[in-house]
Amino acid sequence: METRSQFMRTFLPHLREDLAAHAQASSDPGEGWFVPIGGRLLPAPPAPIPSRVVDVISRSSGTVRVGEKAPPFTLRTTPDQSVSLDDFVGDPIVLAFYPADWSPVCSDQMVLYNELLPEFAEHNAVILGISVDNVWCHQAFSRDRMLSFPLLADFEPKGTVARAYGVYREKDGLCERALFLLDPEGILRWTYVSPIGVNPGAAGILRALESLRAARRAAA
């Protein structure tokens, strides 16, 4: 079995490339819950959600904003098992909505998050992938890509959860490529919607998780 040091030697170049590729988007104060102040990251005051997300929300029936309780849901992860958002409350939760199993961009994105599970674990964070594919498609995709985190089927009624989060593309019948970070109480603290053909990577998630941990330590 590969040791952690071997894993990091193998994966860190990949991670650095990802961080560099997404640094500009991730460092924009408008993209998240935290803003740099005096060289430190501190909680930002309440502010409108980023414009790209507002544009998406305006096309959907649901709305969810930073600082609000995330909409609850229960979705199937296997043909005979369902999970609820409440099952994971108590830890930071990353919701990764994506358009479809098997597409090249989605595959790369989900494989990257699988490789980063040790980094998410350092923050006690859970990641959940969500698309409108059915559970059988998820099961085959997860097995083929050797994923070790749940993929949830927002399948029937199609896109119900994506609509609640404001990231359902009615015209295409797909989810946006959207990320949401919930704190341990289930409050939305950071969100990002990527162009549907662009892998948003993990830099923004990792920065938001680090900032969330720092803020909670400061408040303790």
Side-chain angles (χ1 to χ4, degrees), residues 102-117:
W102 305 106
S103 74
V105 177
C106 295
S107 295
D108 290 346
Q109 184 184 2
M110 296 301 110
V111 168
L112 172 63
Y113 296 162
N114 197 64
E115 292 172 335
L116 275 173
L117 287 177

Side-chain angles (χ1 to χ4, degrees), residues 23 75 112 145 209:
L75 292 174
L112 172 63
R145 298 299 190 267
L209 283 168

